[in-house]
Amino acid sequence: MKRTTIRPENVHQAALLRLLRDGGRSRAELGDVVDLSRSKLNVELDRLVELGLAEPDGLAASRGGRRSGRVRLSQATRFAGIDVGATSIDVAVTDGELKVLGHLSEPCDIRQGPAAVLDRAIDLLGKLHRDGLYDELTGAGIGVPGPVSFAEGVPVVPPIMPGWDRYPVRETIGQALCCPTMVDNDVNIMALGELHTGLARSVGDFLLVKIGTGIGCGIVVDGKIYRGVSGSAGDIGHIRVDDLGPVCSCGNSGCLEAYFGGAALAREAVEVARSGGSPYLAERLAVAGTLTAEDVGAAAAQGDAGAIGLIRDGGRRVGQVLASLVSFFNPGLVIIAGGVAKLGHVLLAEIRSVVYRRSLPLATGNLPIVLSELGETAGVIGATRLISDHVYSAN
Amino acid sequence: MKRTTIRPENVHQAALLRLLRDGGRSRAELGDVVDLSRSKLNVELDRLVELGLAEPDGLAASRGGRRSGRVRLSQATRFAGIDVGATSIDVAVTDGELKVLGHLSEPCDIRQGPAAVLDRAIDLLGKLHRDGLYDELTGAGIGVPGPVSFAEGVPVVPPIMPGWDRYPVRETIGQALCCPTMVDNDVNIMALGELHTGLARSVGDFLLVKIGTGIGCGIVVDGKIYRGVSGSAGDIGHIRVDDLGPVCSCGNSGCLEAYFGGAALAREAVEVARSGGSPYLAERLAVAGTLTAEDVGAAAAQGDAGAIGLIRDGGRRVGQVLASLVSFFNPGLVIIAGGVAKLGHVLLAEIRSVVYRRSLPLATGNLPIVLSELGETAGVIGATRLISDHVYSAN
């Protein structure tokens, strides 16, 4: 049952759809922001209604003359967003404006391989379908925790995803859901989520640093994801912070990820607990037999000096790398996100102190460095933004 | 005597002018690459001829039917490029295709201040005018060795340019030459030069690292200079390579520039000469009383171990910083340019070895790291590219 998703016929229609994605508005308001004559604008809007992509939405309040007709995206529009993490999977269904209508999340080990994991994603979306959240999908976006060949829609030599190398993720999901599908890495879709509904809404050039099990960076240039020539841009976890540092899972030594990120933090927490540096962590370790980044956060919240020390050390390393990148890239905003970002303001304070001290004054003068406020929804919303950018473009 | 430069009237005319900047061609060939009907294309081309921006250029060879008329940019078009360095000034006049018709270069100390230095630039261009190279200028581009507020056309707190802070460079040159003028920093215009006639012609995303008195980086994203939100993007000279490194002129310690670049290299050469590490440099120092980066290059060319060691050490530091930036930015090409780049293949080999070893394999798989082949003309050609991009754009 192959369906054809209806797409805009020209760049004007595409631009109008992307404007309407930010909210319905009157024809007069649209006329204020697009470079079209009133008659041409009305022709294109009428055509979008005919195509079923948009619909009339009553009359706007008068701006002094005849009341202008409001237009909005078709209320039948549905996008699916899938965010596959190292240890969890999130799916959501949104309307055309990317408002989340339903969101499901569950633990899921990426190492089960692509067939099992993508099946779970499709099952979860099937549940949202049975709940009546959608009939047909206009498009689906999916993020995975590793490098992706964006053009081909496949993961490429992803270090923490055994069995996924060059697996046809886009094709698998697209066929199962019968709609246009795009695949990107998890950090890029989080950055798109921030661009759409988060702190970056009005910022053209920004960085999103995700500190989860690993560490990655989403780069947005002029409102679009910058992926680099082979799609690996933003892969900062293996930037070396110290020649003599610990050995990393990648085989080199002194990588940022070998110092910080969920895996390194858990390992260091055990060391601190065993060496008597943290009574809180020692107690947790005795009870649970293991420690996680969350334990470090809980200990720090109790004022545990050992845990606070770990967070500060990690924040300093992230800050070192970020200071260089801020001098190089001169972004308008830096967002810190991901599981480890929940360590909160101790982490943020340390990162800020290093970046503000070490980067060029010209680059940091008006630079906010903030924690993400979107949480788990950044990835799924970003995934729908990714596919809607595609569907709402001409040809 | 204020003149008005004639600009294209719409985006189609602008796109045609930018195509013709890469060389004249037939109407049929233009039709192959622009998204216009044949009749609309001919209307726009005829209008460009009427405006005096383009001109007919005979008939093309037949492609099987009627011979198509060739079109080229008006042969009266002249752009001026000015490249102000720390210790030199270059000016050139080009035709519309940015071919250099005349180029003058002379030593010039930036510390003389903007009035004196810009006067020299105008004098040198006056000489090219008297030589009959141009009558009127279509536009002028200028590069200066420091951060620039691109929108305002003024240097902003430039560290090695005393007296230049917020000096109205664009206004001064624009009034003196009676044409549209744009100002950017020297590294960005070199990158534009490489994009236009150098090794980067077919590369969308690349980095140009200039190692001169200081060290800077031009960032090109999708064929356009990326400047960052406050215009300081690419300012990599003060990225810290070692916490315990030498004190830098910026007040911090361990900056890349404190280790390498013309100034640091000259200082270290004196140390090596005095400590007996280089008979060649010791002899040069005894004769000249001082040493420069060129002396180090000459010594290395003689096989002098001390000089080669200095170049290798410097290359390693540059490589360290570049390795991080390559992982982050995933460029399609890295060009090494500037006076110190003349140290040649010893330097290049060391930079390559560090970057290829330390950056992500995915980012370095197809990454050429090369020395610029343009030499002194990169800056002036890039400056004309900058202003021609502006003049050949709609409104």
Side-chain angles (χ1 to χ4, degrees):
Chain A
M1 55 167 262
K2 184 81 186 160
R3 283 196 313 274
T4 308
T5 288
I6 293 160
R7 300 267 299 276
E9 299 164 327
N10 58 45
V11 291
H12 304 301
Q13 291 179 10
L16 288 166
L17 289 169
R18 273 179 268 124
L19 281 169
L20 292 173
R21 184 176 60 185
D22 289 334
R25 62 195 79 183
S26 71
R27 288 174 184 244
E29 286 165 336
L30 287 167
D32 294 343
V33 288
V34 298
D35 192 21
L36 286 176
S37 68
R38 184 187 290 209
S39 61
K40 179 89 170 107
L41 171 67
N42 282 325
V43 167
E44 300 296 2
L45 285 172
D46 292 345
R47 184 68 187 140
L48 287 175
V49 172
E50 266 174 54
L51 290 168
L53 288 166
E55 60 185 41
D57 184 29
L59 292 178
S62 168
R63 300 204 300 184
R66 209 156 64 87
R67 291 170 65 196
S68 171
R70 287 180 59 86
V71 185
R72 62 182 178 188
L73 290 177
S74 160
Q75 294 300 290
T77 308
R78 292 292 180 273
F79 291 110
I82 303 170
D83 183 9
V84 176
T87 59
S88 64
I89 186 164
D90 284 75
V91 307
V93 170
T94 72
D95 61 13
E97 296 175 8
L98 313 190
K99 290 205 184 78
V100 174
L101 306 174
H103 178 190
L104 295 172
S105 181
E106 62 174 43
C108 177
D109 189 339
I110 190 88
R111 292 170 299 183
Q112 291 173 12
V117 170
L118 297 180
D119 264 0
R120 275 315 294 150
I122 293 159
D123 279 358
L124 290 171
L125 282 168
K127 192 165 174 337
L128 294 176
H129 173 63
R130 289 189 299 278
D131 290 350
L133 290 190
Y134 70 94
D135 182 22
E136 294 182 357
L137 288 169
T138 305
I142 173 167
V144 297
V148 166
S149 166
F150 184 67
E152 298 164 276
V154 302
V156 180
V157 208
I160 63 164
M161 300 169 69
W164 288 75
D165 187 25
R166 305 202 71 81
Y167 189 87
V169 174
R170 182 174 64 197
E171 200 183 326
T172 306
I173 294 289
Q175 284 181 356
L177 301 178
C178 294
C179 64
T181 300
M182 299 197 102
V183 187
D184 207 338
N185 84 58
D186 57 343
V187 186
N188 286 348
I189 63 165
M190 285 179 82
L192 285 174
E194 296 287 347
L195 184 67
H196 190 76
T197 51
L199 296 160
R201 281 198 75 152
S202 57
V203 184
D205 306 323
F206 72 92
L207 300 179
L208 174 128
V209 179
K210 179 185 179 186
I211 313 175
T213 306
I215 299 181
C217 181
I219 307 171
V220 175
V221 172
D222 201 17
K224 288 193 282 287
I225 292 290
Y226 173 79
R227 295 186 175 85
V229 294
S230 48
S232 76
D235 211 338
I236 64 171
H238 301 282
I239 287 182
R240 188 177 300 199
V241 290
D242 195 332
D243 286 355
L244 307 170
V247 172
C248 180
S249 59
C250 75
N252 278 320
S253 60
C255 297
L256 179 59
E257 269 187 28
Y259 281 106
F260 202 52
L265 195 56
R267 189 191 65 231
E268 288 191 355
V270 170
E271 278 171 32
V272 168
R274 288 197 176 134
S275 68
S278 163
Y280 182 101
L281 290 174
E283 206 181 305
R284 277 295 298 157
L285 181 61
V287 173
T290 180
L291 289 172
T292 65
E294 286 78 49
D295 293 325
V296 178
Q302 304 284 324
D304 181 277
I308 291 174
L310 285 180
I311 298 172
R312 285 213 176 122
D313 283 352
R316 200 177 64 247
R317 303 293 184 174
V318 173
Q320 280 174 27
V321 169
L322 210 42
S324 302
L325 300 182
V326 163
S327 289
F328 172 76
F329 186 72
N330 187 202
L333 172 67
V334 174
I335 302 175
I336 310 292
V340 173
K342 290 187 191 135
L343 298 177
H345 287 274
V346 175
L347 175 64
L348 184 65
E350 193 68 30
I351 292 175
R352 281 179 171 162
S353 107
V354 178
V355 175
Y356 289 144
R357 194 172 64 239
R358 288 210 189 164
S359 301
L360 281 183
L362 202 59
T364 56
N366 296 306
L367 176 68
I369 304 175
V370 299
L371 295 174
S372 168
E373 294 173 352
L374 283 185
E376 307 306 325
T377 58
V380 284
I381 293 175
T384 62
R385 167 87 180 201
L386 175 73
I387 189 62
S388 68
D389 273 341
H390 171 70
V391 170
Y392 293 158
S393 64
N395 70 61
Chain B
M1 53 167 261
K2 183 82 184 155
R3 284 196 313 274
T4 308
T5 288
I6 292 160
R7 301 268 300 275
E9 300 164 326
N10 58 45
V11 292
H12 304 301
Q13 292 179 11
L16 289 167
L17 289 169
R18 273 177 271 124
L19 281 168
L20 293 173
R21 185 175 59 183
D22 290 334
R25 61 193 81 182
S26 71
R27 287 174 185 243
E29 287 165 335
L30 286 167
D32 294 344
V33 289
V34 298
D35 191 21
L36 287 175
S37 68
R38 183 186 291 209
S39 61
K40 179 87 170 110
L41 171 67
N42 282 324
V43 168
E44 300 296 2
L45 285 172
D46 292 344
R47 184 67 187 139
L48 286 175
V49 173
E50 266 175 53
L51 291 168
L53 289 165
E55 62 186 38
D57 184 29
L59 292 177
S62 168
R63 303 202 300 182
R66 207 156 63 87
R67 292 170 65 196
S68 172
R70 288 181 58 86
V71 185
R72 61 182 179 185
L73 290 178
S74 161
Q75 295 300 291
T77 308
R78 293 291 180 272
F79 291 110
I82 303 170
D83 183 8
V84 177
T87 59
S88 64
I89 185 164
D90 283 75
V91 306
V93 169
T94 73
D95 63 11
E97 296 175 7
L98 314 190
K99 290 205 185 75
V100 175
L101 305 175
H103 178 189
L104 295 173
S105 181
E106 61 173 46
C108 177
D109 188 340
I110 189 86
R111 291 171 299 183
Q112 292 173 9
V117 171
L118 297 180
D119 265 358
R120 276 315 292 149
I122 293 159
D123 279 355
L124 290 171
L125 282 168
K127 191 164 173 342
L128 293 177
H129 173 63
R130 288 188 301 277
D131 289 349
L133 290 190
Y134 69 94
D135 182 24
E136 295 185 354
L137 288 169
T138 304
I142 172 166
V144 296
V148 166
S149 165
F150 184 67
E152 298 163 276
V154 301
V156 181
V157 206
I160 63 162
M161 300 169 68
W164 289 74
D165 187 25
R166 305 202 70 81
Y167 189 87
V169 174
R170 181 175 65 197
E171 201 183 325
T172 304
I173 294 290
Q175 284 182 358
L177 301 178
C178 294
C179 64
T181 300
M182 298 197 102
V183 187
D184 206 338
N185 83 59
D186 58 343
V187 187
N188 285 348
I189 63 166
M190 284 179 83
L192 285 173
E194 295 287 347
L195 184 66
H196 190 75
T197 51
L199 297 159
R201 280 198 76 154
S202 56
V203 184
D205 304 324
F206 72 93
L207 300 180
L208 175 129
V209 179
K210 179 184 178 185
I211 314 176
T213 307
I215 299 181
C217 181
I219 307 169
V220 175
V221 172
D222 201 15
K224 288 192 283 286
I225 292 290
Y226 173 79
R227 296 187 174 85
V229 295
S230 48
S232 77
D235 211 339
I236 64 172
H238 301 282
I239 287 181
R240 188 176 303 198
V241 289
D242 194 332
D243 285 356
L244 306 171
V247 171
C248 181
S249 61
C250 75
N252 278 321
S253 60
C255 297
L256 179 58
E257 270 188 24
Y259 279 105
F260 203 49
L265 195 55
R267 189 190 64 230
E268 290 191 355
V270 171
E271 278 171 32
V272 168
R274 289 199 176 133
S275 69
S278 163
Y280 182 100
L281 289 174
E283 205 181 305
R284 277 296 297 157
L285 182 61
V287 174
T290 179
L291 288 172
T292 65
E294 286 78 50
D295 294 324
V296 178
Q302 303 284 323
D304 181 278
I308 292 174
L310 286 179
I311 297 172
R312 286 213 175 122
D313 283 352
R316 199 176 66 246
R317 303 294 184 173
V318 173
Q320 281 176 27
V321 168
L322 209 42
S324 301
L325 301 181
V326 163
S327 289
F328 172 76
F329 185 71
N330 186 200
L333 172 68
V334 173
I335 301 174
I336 310 292
V340 174
K342 290 185 193 141
L343 297 179
H345 286 274
V346 175
L347 175 65
L348 184 64
E350 193 67 30
I351 293 174
R352 282 178 170 163
S353 108
V354 178
V355 174
Y356 289 143
R357 193 170 66 238
R358 289 210 188 166
S359 301
L360 281 184
L362 203 57
T364 55
N366 296 306
L367 176 68
I369 303 175
V370 299
L371 294 175
S372 169
E373 293 173 353
L374 282 186
E376 308 305 326
T377 58
V380 284
I381 293 175
T384 62
R385 167 86 179 201
L386 176 73
I387 189 62
S388 68
D389 274 341
H390 170 71
V391 170
Y392 293 158
S393 65
N395 68 59

